[in-house]
Amino acid sequence: MELVNDRYLLSGGVDLLELVEEFGSPLYVYDTAVIKRQFDRIQSAFSVPRLGIHYACKALTNLNILRYLEHLGAGLDTVSIQEVRLGLAAGFAPDRIIYTPNCVSIEEIEMAVELGVKINIDNISILEQFGHHYPQVPVCLRINPHILAGGNAKISVGHIDSKFGISFHQMPHILKVLEATGLRIEGVHMHTGSDILDTEIFLQAAEILFNAANNFPDLDYLDFGSGFRVPYQEGGIATDIEDFGQQFSDRFKQFCEEYGKELELIFEPGKFLVSEAGYFLVRTNVVKTTPSTLFAGIDSGLNHLIRPMFYNAYHQITNISRPGGKPRIYTVVGYICETDTFGINRKISEIQEGDILCLRNAGAYCFSMSSNYNSRFRPAEVLVHEGKACLIRRRETMEDLLRNQVEVDLFASVSGK
Ligand SMILES: *Cc1c(COP(=O)(O)O)cnc(C)c1O
């Protein structure tokens, strides 16, 4: 977003405040121009003959976002059968969807096979069962390289105690299962967690995956998951994707030469593609001064955006109603009966009740992690595309809250009335 003549604008000159006037608050807004910029950056960062960018759709699952990414040429990374179905509904070809579940039932995996998508297996028990049922269906193996590459303990999934993937130390066991079942391995995968801090560490983990890959003669692709980091604060650390892409492409091409086949290089970015494309607009309900703190209380809470409370995530907050106002120090809090703090001691231009605040980086893991806690409605979503704003999800209503509730008459037979 940029500030032009005291108005905050998205691509194509769309005015954020006008969106709140038209669609109400709280409101999620996504800008396709930012998604495209990020997609193009990854695509041009890697110079390999076969590159697959599979959008990790758990970050943001609105069908229109999925369709837009499919149109750009992305594949899809899914972690549940419902995400697989959303991907198919959005128009992804089944063979462009990878299903990477963790601790799901064999029945759910069988449903994914029926739908024709690529299967990624992350434990030996399921590998055995799968091999007995479907020896003719090639699969991908999720390998755990035991490398800690996450910015936060909750989103680091490669370490030794992690529940994800098959340990690379278990290779002999994997090979026995393959021999017994005749199953073919078409890909190997790793995903070490969100937020790569360090290209070096990622390259080390990749070496472990290359080693694992050498055990399988019929591979078609190597999938290195994600972990691309985007800046959340001004000057915040971000993955230097251009530098990383250069180094990684060289190493990958060298591996393919040794392996003797041009493999597809796959990444599964979620956050990198959609985080910065999202804006969460909220209204200030109250400004409250206590002896120690100046609070701004907004018409939202951890029910709509839980990342600050769940991951200690930082989301920049701007008062878009009063650009250029005198800055004061605020703690921005939600309206839920929990401590739901969005930001502590933030310098924000003076807030008056009714002002609209904008939380940045609201594209990834924001709406998709929202809930109805405190029986609040989930917000509407709007997509900004080529200068136009379209509603892509209606705000919930009382009917949505009641839809699946079943009222029974507990007292009819007892009272006999
Ligand atoms: C969540 C997830 C991703 C995406 O991670 P980001 O940090 O959003 O890029 C990729 N692959 C798998 C298997 C995941 O579970």
Side-chain angles (χ1 to χ4, degrees), residues 129-401:
Q129 296 175 60
F130 191 93
H132 289 303
H133 284 66
Y134 301 102
Q136 75 291 355
V137 178
V139 293
C140 179
L141 285 181
R142 178 171 188 170
I143 301 293
N144 189 332
H146 303 310
I147 294 261
L148 188 78
N152 178 308
K154 279 189 189 139
I155 47 183
S156 292
V157 294
H159 54 88
I160 196 84
D161 295 328
S162 158
K163 67 168 187 162
F164 294 98
I166 306 176
S167 166
F168 73 93
H169 297 300
Q170 289 172 298
M171 194 53 71
H173 193 168
I174 296 174
L175 294 174
K176 275 186 203 151
V177 173
L178 299 185
E179 201 180 20
T181 58
L183 195 60
R184 181 170 82 79
I185 301 303
E186 64 171 3
V188 287
H189 168 276
M190 70 173 202
H191 171 64
T192 52
S194 278
D195 292 0
I196 303 174
L197 294 170
D198 192 335
T199 298
E200 278 308 306
I201 293 176
F202 195 88
L203 289 168
Q204 275 175 37
E207 289 305 320
I208 293 168
L209 203 73
F210 289 138
N211 275 330
N214 277 322
N215 289 287
F216 310 110
D218 303 312
L219 292 177
D220 184 46
Y221 57 90
L222 296 184
D223 184 336
F224 291 88
S226 179
F228 301 115
R229 197 175 164 142
V230 294
Y232 274 73
Q233 342 195 358
E234 220 143 315
I237 305 166
T239 304
D240 183 345
I241 188 99
E242 288 73 21
D243 175 63
F244 174 73
Q246 182 67 49
Q247 289 191 48
F248 196 84
S249 300
D250 289 346
R251 179 64 189 101
F252 186 78
K253 283 187 280 197
Q254 187 195 353
F255 174 78
C256 289
E257 221 160 89
E258 291 157 14
Y259 185 80
K261 189 174 168 191
E262 224 165 59
L263 300 171
E264 185 181 10
L265 170 60
I266 298 177
F267 285 102
E268 304 169 339
K271 203 180 265 181
F272 189 85
L273 291 174
V274 298
S275 172
E276 293 165 287
Y279 303 83
F280 187 43
L281 305 179
V282 295
R283 188 178 300 277
T284 309
N285 284 334
V286 283
V287 175
K288 174 171 177 173
T289 314
T290 68
S292 64
T293 308
L294 181 55
F295 287 103
I298 60 175
D299 64 349
S300 181
L302 57 71
N303 51 328
H304 297 154
L305 201 169
I306 201 172
R307 298 188 75 258
M309 306 86 193
F310 195 41
Y311 299 123
N312 226 349
Y314 185 100
H315 289 261
Q316 231 176 289
I317 305 174
T318 311
N319 181 359
I320 62 169
S321 294
R322 228 165 283 279
K326 187 168 82 66
R328 299 190 67 186
I329 304 299
Y330 291 93
T331 290
V332 178
V333 293
Y335 62 7
I336 292 293
C337 293
E338 301 274 347
T339 302
D340 52 349
T341 305
F342 287 97
I344 297 176
N345 295 340
R346 298 293 186 85
K347 206 165 138 185
I348 301 172
S349 81
E350 177 145 26
I351 301 173
Q352 292 181 16
E353 290 174 359
D355 281 1
I356 303 299
L357 308 186
C358 175
L359 285 94
R360 304 289 297 269
N361 287 79
Y365 309 106
C366 292
F367 188 92
S368 68
M369 293 179 93
S370 66
S371 76
N372 289 118
Y373 187 48
N374 277 202
S375 296
R376 296 282 182 186
F377 306 140
R378 268 176 285 214
E381 294 181 292
V382 163
L383 189 64
V384 170
H385 181 62
E386 293 177 351
K388 284 215 308 250
C390 316
L391 184 69
I392 56 171
R393 188 190 300 266
R394 280 187 289 274
R395 189 176 305 286
E396 286 180 338
T397 64
M398 212 52 214
E399 256 165 46
D400 295 307
L401 291 187

Side-chain angles (χ1 to χ4, degrees), residues 3-14:
L3 185 60
V4 181
N5 297 333
D6 272 0
R7 307 292 287 187
Y8 284 97
L9 307 181
L10 299 187
S11 72
V14 172

Side-chain angles (χ1 to χ4, degrees), residues 29 42-43 95 112 115 117 120 126 168 171-173 242 372 382:
V29 179
I42 299 198
Q43 203 155 45
D95 68 351
L115 294 172
V117 301
N120 193 2
I126 292 285
F168 73 93
M171 194 53 71
H173 193 168
E242 288 73 21
N372 289 118
V382 163

